[in-house]
Amino acid sequence: MIPKDPVMLLSYVNTQLRDHYSSLDDLCRSLDLDPQQIISSLAAIQYQYDADRNQFV
């Protein structure tokens, strides 16, 4: 289960990307998550996925 709070979600997702996954798609496939839902939640707090850095910035 992933955090619902966007700030906590940001921390969780970036940590997972840094430590375990080479891309957002890999993370979402592995954890059976909807990437658009994560992107939308984090966009609400002004964060966007940067594929080159493999993190939300």
Side-chain angles (χ1 to χ4, degrees):
M1 189 114 180
I2 63 170
K4 300 291 183 202
D5 177 74
V7 175
M8 295 300 294
L9 178 62
L10 172 66
S11 177
Y12 175 80
V13 169
N14 275 345
T15 298
Q16 292 298 309
L17 290 170
R18 181 190 69 220
D19 294 347
H20 304 289
Y21 300 100
S22 61
S23 71
L24 180 60
D25 287 336
D26 287 345
L27 180 145
C28 290
R29 267 194 302 274
S30 178
L31 301 178
D32 194 29
L33 301 172
D34 178 5
Q36 281 309 122
Q37 186 176 20
I38 293 172
I39 290 169
S40 295
S41 292
L42 296 181
I45 60 168
Q46 309 303 311
Y47 281 84
Q48 296 180 16
Y49 181 65
D50 181 331
D52 293 332
R53 295 171 72 178
N54 192 34
Q55 68 180 7
F56 281 85
V57 292

